[in-house]
């Protein structure tokens, strides 16, 4: 009898411990913003930029310290933002603040975007252009403005006998690049870093460089988006691409496997003069004091189209803040207060401008210490027109991939047939992808 | 005691059953339901009938991925199993250093698919670049054979261990009896050993078949589906549909593809299990 009692007890204990095990693992997974702080609300920001994770954590802490409102910042791993956002949005305690990359990204998330048109932060914007609109409502607010162009190593350029001022058009650039290539062995460096078409680098060409023919076509037509691109300036695009791949550090056939790191390292090791990239590279280039501000300059990407003398850097954004309208009322308000504080308070603007190195399109922004950003401002000051970012209007990621694959194939074998494939991916691909993306 | 066990059985089963229910049954049926919906997150699904299935079937990349996967599965199942079985035969002969070889052949299995994919990508690209062929990102056939080599390299060791266990179970008596009856080595292998290791073959073919169909990591890391989806297998195609495409309709289509995929894998493995099981003999 006693034995049975013991075995009953034992069995019971086992079962209890099993349940306890389940319970514990559940507790371990508490959602970041589940700790509801009564009526004050809380903020849960799903951050897109891993480079700035630490700065955001500090800024969030500073805000919590001064207001008592909990702010949780979670950063999605690089390239995993959509995936992370999707799973987080499905949970209770979903992010109250997230971001989309423009009209195409908005298509996924517009059902979740709180209309920001009556908010303080919207009124703080320096220009209407930095608001992402969905019909009449303001779905997103740009929080960082970036520029890209051709980052140039001034010392190498002068070794080759040129000054940055000598390059004012596509013809100038072509002349300099081809001259450097012809004296490559004597100089010991190439004109361009490898235009790698690996996934870590191909966006520089299938997206950023492809922006230019689109920009000039939009300018001609006087439009801001289109359901069918004509490809008017694709020959110029080809000429530029030829220039990149024929005057680079490596054989064009090897570009398929070259990565973004390869390209940056070539620039850091002073193996090439020109490096097409953006203001976000500033920290990588100056971080280990490889370069000082004096040695670097960013020149516009000239395509041989339009008024080249007055062309500026490509400046725009693909980072828009959106507020989750499915969140609790109090949380929405807390989030609005938080982002407003970020872009108006001294702590907030300083952190965004100096620590994160952002140029923020808000009235109380502090000056950034990013050289390329300053150059962009100086160029605009001098009356040059910045090239706007039109790639958020590209119909889909699939379109970019199609163009990227065709460009890679063309780089390996620069035949007219292969270029026809690029044109087809560019023009026909645009129409079919637009149809697919907006068909419903 | 017997009675007590019966009485407490439900209590013991419950935690595991609850976990199975929460972790498998419910998501499985929810997944099937979602494949008939248009949704962004699982919370806001809108029923839209069989539209997703129609679109999934009319997606040419999906059917291409299916053909590619089948072609990959056929070749890899045969090559992995033949190679693994031959190695197992060799390593049960009592050669010197058998244990070292078994360990060495098994080792690739311990490395993760993504890492393997990148290592092989570098290796294959080097070879292609030396021989002046188009690199992996532009080369469908190199991508196909690269995947096969990679999978063989990774899986042969594992299957070999299963075959070794099977071969060690074949009783010496039967082999001796066969030899006394005058059977040559080939005949012993063909008529005695093979039927006796049929259960191992069933398991190995099942594992390689399902692994080939579900292959994802290696595909993503080695070729990423390049050029232009030509080396994209079913799992990667579903993933890309679900995550890489912007727009409200794609999640549902991806989900529908996933359900189709699930049915295909179940069907094929059931057929395979039946056909190899029927050849198994009783010891």
């Amino acid at each position: 009898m006693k034995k049975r009692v013991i075995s009953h007890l034992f069995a019971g204990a086992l079962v209890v411990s099993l349940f306890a095990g389940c319970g514990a693992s559940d507790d371990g997974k508490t959602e970041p913003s589940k700790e509801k702080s009564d009526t004050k609300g809380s903020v849960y920001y799903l951050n897109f930029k891993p480079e700035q994770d630490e700065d955001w954590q500090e800024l969030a802490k500073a805000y919590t310290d001064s207001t008592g409102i909990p702010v949780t910042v979670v950063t999605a791993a690089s390239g995993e933002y959509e995936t992370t956002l999707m799973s987080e949005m499905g949970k209770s305690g979903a992010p109250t603040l997230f971001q989309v990359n423009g009209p195409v990204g908005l298509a996924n998330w517009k059902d979740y975007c709180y209309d920001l048109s009556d908010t303080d932060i919207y009124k703080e914007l320096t220009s209407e252009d930095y608001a992402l609109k969905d019909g009449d409502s303001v779905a997103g607010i740009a929080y960082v403005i970036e520029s890209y162009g051709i980052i140039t190593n001034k010392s190498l350029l002068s070794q080759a006998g040129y000054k940055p001022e000598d390059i004012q058009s596509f013809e100038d650039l072509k002349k300099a690049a081809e001259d450097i290539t012809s004296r490559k062995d004597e100089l010991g460096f190439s004109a361009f870093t490898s235009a790698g078409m690996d996934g870590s680098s191909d966006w520089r060409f299938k997206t950023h460089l492809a922006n230019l023919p689109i920009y000039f076509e939009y300018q001609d037509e006087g439009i801001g988006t289109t359901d069918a691109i004509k490809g008017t300036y694709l020959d110029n695009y080809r000429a530029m691409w030829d220039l990149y791949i024929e005057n680079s550090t490596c054989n064009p056939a090897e570009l398929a496997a070259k990565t973004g790191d390869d390209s940056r390292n070539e620039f850091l090791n002073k193996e090439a003069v020109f490096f097409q990239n953006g203001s976000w590279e500033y920290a990588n280039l100056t971080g280990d004091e490889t370069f000082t501000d004096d040695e670097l300059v960013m020149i516009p990407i000239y395509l041989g189209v339009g008024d080249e003398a007055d062309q500026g850097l490509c400046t725009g954004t693909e980072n828009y803040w959106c507020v989750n309208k499915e969140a609790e009322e109090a949380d929405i308000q807390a989030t609005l207060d938080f982002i407003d504080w970020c872009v108006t308070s001294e702590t907030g603007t300083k952190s965004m401008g100096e620590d994160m190195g952002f140029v923020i399109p808000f009235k109380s922004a502090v000056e950034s210490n990013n050289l390329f950003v300053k150059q962009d401002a100086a160029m605009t000051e001098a009356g040059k027109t910045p090239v706007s970012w039109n790639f958020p209007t590209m119909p889909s990621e699939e379109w970019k991939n199609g163009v990227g694959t065709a460009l890679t194939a063309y780089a390996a074998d620069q035949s007219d047939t292969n270029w026809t494939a690029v044109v087809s991916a560019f023009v026909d691909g645009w129409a079919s992808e637009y149809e697919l993306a907006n068909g419903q | 005691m017997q009675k007590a066990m019966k009485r407490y059985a439900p209590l013991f089963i419950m935690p595991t059953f609850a976990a199975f229910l929460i972790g498998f049954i419910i998501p499985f049926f929810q997944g099937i339901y979602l494949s008939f919906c248009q949704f962004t997150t699982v919370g806001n699904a809108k029923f839209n009938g069989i539209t997703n299935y129609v679109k999934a079937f009319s997606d040419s990349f999906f059917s291409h991925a299916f053909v590619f996967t089948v072609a990959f599965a056929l070749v890899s199942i045969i090559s992995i199993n033949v190679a693994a079985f031959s190695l197992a035969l060799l390593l049960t002969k009592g050669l010197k250093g058998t244990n070292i070889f078994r360990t060495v052949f098994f080792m690739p299995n311990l490395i993760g698919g993504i890492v393997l994919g990148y290592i092989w990508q570098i290796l294959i690209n080097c070879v292609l670049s030396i021989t002046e062929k188009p690199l992996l990102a532009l080369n469908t056939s190199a991508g196909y054979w690269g995947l096969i080599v990679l999978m063989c390299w990774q899986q042969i060791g594992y299957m070999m261990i299963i075959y070794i266990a099977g071969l060690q179970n074949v009783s010496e008596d039967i082999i001796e009896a066969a030899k006394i009856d005058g059977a040559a080595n080939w005949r012993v292998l063909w008529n005695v050993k093979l039927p006796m290791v049929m259960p191992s073959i069933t398991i190995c073919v099942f594992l390689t078949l399902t692994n080939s169909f579900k292959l994802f990591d290696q595909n993503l890391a080695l070729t990423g589906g390049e050029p232009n989806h030509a080396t994209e297998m079913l799992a990667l195609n579903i993933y890309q549909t679900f995550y890489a495409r912007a727009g409200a309709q794609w999640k549902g289509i991806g989900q529908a593809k996933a359900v189709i995929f699930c049915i295909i894998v179940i069907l094929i493995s059931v057929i395979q299990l039946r056909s190899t099981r029927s050849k198994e003999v009783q010891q």
Side-chain angles (χ1 to χ4, degrees):
Chain A
M1 191 59 207
K2 204 177 173 190
K3 219 174 170 187
R4 263 184 79 182
V5 172
I6 291 175
S7 67
H8 279 202
L9 279 176
F10 189 58
L14 256 178
V15 170
V16 167
S17 68
L18 273 173
F19 279 121
C22 293
S25 68
D26 274 345
D27 284 344
K29 283 194 295 194
T30 38
E31 302 306 333
S33 57
K34 228 177 202 169
E35 323 96 39
K36 288 260 150 55
S37 66
D38 47 88
T39 53
K40 268 158 108 193
S42 61
V43 181
Y44 172 16
Y45 176 30
L46 190 64
N47 173 29
F48 174 76
K49 289 173 171 277
E51 311 91 274
Q52 275 84 25
D53 178 57
E54 229 172 279
D55 302 313
W56 275 115
Q57 302 292 356
E58 277 169 31
L59 190 59
K61 198 169 167 293
Y63 185 69
T64 310
D65 288 347
S66 70
T67 60
I69 291 174
V71 178
T72 316
V73 178
V74 173
T75 301
S78 173
E80 295 291 318
Y81 194 80
E82 276 295 304
T83 334
T84 316
L85 180 61
M86 203 181 301
S87 62
E88 288 295 298
M89 276 300 201
K91 296 179 183 170
S92 59
T96 58
L97 181 62
F98 61 98
Q99 84 159 52
V100 300
N101 68 350
V104 172
L106 184 65
N108 264 347
W109 294 106
K110 62 180 172 209
D111 293 343
Y112 288 84
C113 291
Y114 184 81
D115 182 4
L116 298 164
S117 50
D118 283 331
T119 57
D120 294 336
I121 186 165
Y122 176 59
K123 288 162 200 143
E124 285 293 323
L125 275 177
T126 49
S127 157
E128 281 276 298
D129 296 343
Y130 298 129
L132 179 65
K133 298 205 170 154
D134 176 33
D136 286 334
S137 78
V138 176
I141 301 253
Y143 66 91
V144 51
I145 302 297
E146 293 167 314
S147 300
Y148 67 87
I150 299 174
I151 301 176
T152 308
N153 182 332
K154 272 198 221 168
S155 3
L156 290 191
L157 191 64
S158 71
Q159 273 181 48
Y162 295 91
K163 292 193 296 296
E165 297 78 50
D166 294 342
I167 299 169
Q168 298 283 354
S169 68
F170 176 74
E171 281 311 316
D172 296 344
L173 182 67
K174 189 175 158 84
K175 206 177 105 222
E178 285 175 350
D179 181 37
I180 291 171
T181 304
S182 67
R183 294 186 290 141
K184 189 174 169 180
D185 295 333
E186 171 203 335
L187 290 168
F189 54 81
S190 310
F192 290 96
T193 60
S194 56
M197 290 307 282
D198 173 84
S200 59
S201 163
D202 60 354
W203 48 269
R204 293 192 288 143
F205 312 105
K206 70 182 186 190
T207 312
H208 284 183
L209 184 61
N211 179 52
L212 286 127
I214 298 172
Y215 167 78
F216 288 114
E217 183 172 327
Y218 281 5
Q219 290 283 304
D220 280 359
E221 315 273 326
I223 50 177
T225 178
T226 179
D227 54 0
I229 199 95
K230 289 188 193 143
T232 327
Y233 295 109
L234 285 184
D235 287 342
N236 302 79
Y237 184 51
R238 178 180 183 172
M240 193 64 180
W241 182 237
D242 282 342
L243 194 66
Y244 278 180
I245 62 181
E246 280 165 11
N247 299 288
S248 125
T249 46
C250 71
N251 180 342
E254 288 167 23
L255 289 177
K258 289 280 179 188
T259 64
D261 286 344
D262 288 337
S263 185
R264 179 186 309 116
N265 289 334
E266 287 158 17
F267 192 73
L268 286 171
N269 295 334
K270 318 208 161 145
E271 288 166 27
V273 189
F274 303 115
F275 174 41
Q276 188 208 307
N277 219 318
S279 50
W280 51 88
E281 278 293 314
Y282 178 69
N284 285 329
L285 298 180
T286 54
D288 300 330
E289 296 182 4
T290 320
F291 288 109
T292 58
D293 282 6
D294 297 337
E295 287 172 291
L296 295 172
V297 64
M298 189 187 276
I299 56 177
I301 304 177
Y302 296 113
L303 211 60
V305 184
D307 180 9
E308 292 192 300
D310 282 333
Q311 186 185 329
L313 300 175
C314 300
T315 301
T317 184
E318 56 168 357
N319 296 284
Y320 294 92
W321 268 337
C322 300
V323 175
N324 182 1
K325 79 168 173 205
E326 306 280 308
E328 305 266 329
E329 198 68 33
D331 292 346
I332 292 180
Q333 195 50 50
T335 307
L336 292 174
D337 293 344
F338 172 66
I339 51 180
D340 191 45
W341 177 82
C342 286
V343 302
T344 51
S345 72
E346 203 193 320
T347 328
T349 49
K350 239 178 123 172
S351 168
M352 290 187 82
E354 286 171 12
D355 302 342
M356 304 185 202
F358 289 164
V359 177
I360 56 174
F362 300 100
K363 287 167 190 156
S364 21
V366 299
E367 202 192 343
S368 164
N369 56 5
N370 185 318
L371 168 75
F372 304 131
V373 162
K374 286 191 238 168
Q375 277 179 354
D376 174 58
M379 281 190 194
T380 314
E381 193 90 338
K384 298 197 176 193
T385 319
V387 172
S388 61
W389 286 20
N390 294 298
F391 48 81
T393 67
M394 288 173 181
S396 68
E397 208 54 40
E398 183 67 22
W399 179 85
K400 298 180 195 172
N401 293 340
V403 172
T405 306
L407 275 181
T408 317
Y410 173 76
D413 173 19
Q414 293 142 47
S415 66
D416 283 338
T417 339
N418 278 341
W419 187 258
T420 318
V422 177
V423 174
S424 155
F426 205 102
V427 178
D428 305 337
W430 186 294
S432 62
E433 278 300 315
Y434 188 90
E435 171 87 30
L436 276 176
N438 299 286
Q440 245 191 357
Chain B
M1 201 58 204
Q2 191 69 288
K3 250 170 112 186
M5 284 244 273
K6 262 205 175 130
R7 191 158 2 123
Y8 284 107
L11 207 56
F12 277 102
I13 291 171
M14 219 165 60
T16 321
F17 181 70
F20 186 65
L21 196 73
I22 295 168
F24 185 81
I25 305 275
I26 295 175
F28 183 76
F29 284 102
Q30 195 182 13
I32 293 180
Y33 166 67
L34 283 175
S35 70
F36 295 100
C37 296
Q38 176 172 324
F39 66 100
T40 314
T41 61
V42 291
N44 70 348
K46 275 198 296 284
F47 189 80
N48 71 347
I50 57 162
T51 331
N52 291 334
Y53 285 89
V54 174
K55 286 197 174 140
F57 279 115
S58 56
D59 179 351
S60 65
F61 289 133
F62 187 57
S63 42
H64 178 270
F66 178 74
V67 173
F68 188 82
T69 309
V70 171
F72 170 80
L74 280 178
V75 176
S76 71
I77 291 168
I78 294 172
S79 51
I80 290 174
N81 284 291
V82 169
F85 189 76
S86 322
L87 277 179
L89 276 179
L90 264 179
L91 296 181
T92 44
K93 283 212 185 326
L95 300 171
K96 236 183 171 180
T98 296
N99 278 334
I100 297 177
F101 281 115
R102 285 183 191 174
T103 320
V104 168
F105 285 124
F106 186 72
M107 264 174 10
N109 205 270
L110 302 175
I111 311 174
I114 293 279
V115 180
L116 273 187
Y118 279 117
I119 294 173
W120 278 92
Q121 188 193 46
I122 296 167
L123 283 175
I124 295 173
N125 269 340
C126 275
V127 173
L128 289 173
S129 140
I130 291 169
T131 54
E132 301 197 333
K133 297 256 165 42
L135 301 189
L136 269 179
L138 295 170
N139 195 332
T140 313
S141 62
Y144 175 75
W145 290 108
L147 277 170
I148 294 211
V149 170
L150 164 56
M151 278 307 276
C152 284
W153 194 72
Q154 188 182 22
Q155 304 251 297
I156 284 174
Y158 192 80
M159 302 306 152
M160 176 195 78
I161 298 288
I162 300 178
Y163 282 128
I164 286 177
L167 283 169
Q168 281 171 339
N169 263 341
V170 180
S171 118
E172 283 296 317
D173 302 351
I174 311 179
I175 296 173
E176 212 182 323
K179 284 199 170 146
I180 290 171
D181 287 346
N185 279 344
W186 259 115
R187 254 198 115 71
V188 173
L189 171 66
W190 199 251
N191 288 7
V192 181
K193 283 185 179 168
L194 262 185
M196 295 302 279
V197 295
M198 214 52 209
S200 308
I201 296 179
T202 307
I203 294 172
C204 286
V205 173
F206 176 77
L207 284 177
T208 41
L209 179 82
T210 49
N211 281 346
S212 315
F213 264 87
K214 296 187 302 184
L215 192 72
F216 177 76
D217 308 12
Q218 289 84 344
N219 191 199
L220 179 74
L222 188 75
T223 69
E226 291 291 315
N228 202 15
H229 303 279
T231 61
E232 195 172 69
M233 297 178 63
L234 281 173
L236 184 61
N237 179 280
I238 293 169
Y239 174 84
Q240 301 284 25
T241 313
F242 204 87
Y243 286 117
R245 313 251 10 188
Q249 52 174 335
W250 293 104
K251 305 276 181 287
I253 299 177
Q255 189 61 37
K257 284 182 180 178
V259 171
I260 300 170
F261 173 64
C262 182
I263 294 171
I264 291 175
V265 173
I266 292 174
L267 269 183
I268 292 180
S269 22
V270 166
I271 295 172
Q272 178 262 323
L273 280 180
R274 288 235 166 127
S275 68
T276 45
R277 273 268 162 75
S278 66
K279 296 200 177 60
E280 283 178 20
V281 288
Q282 292 294 323
Q283 291 241 4

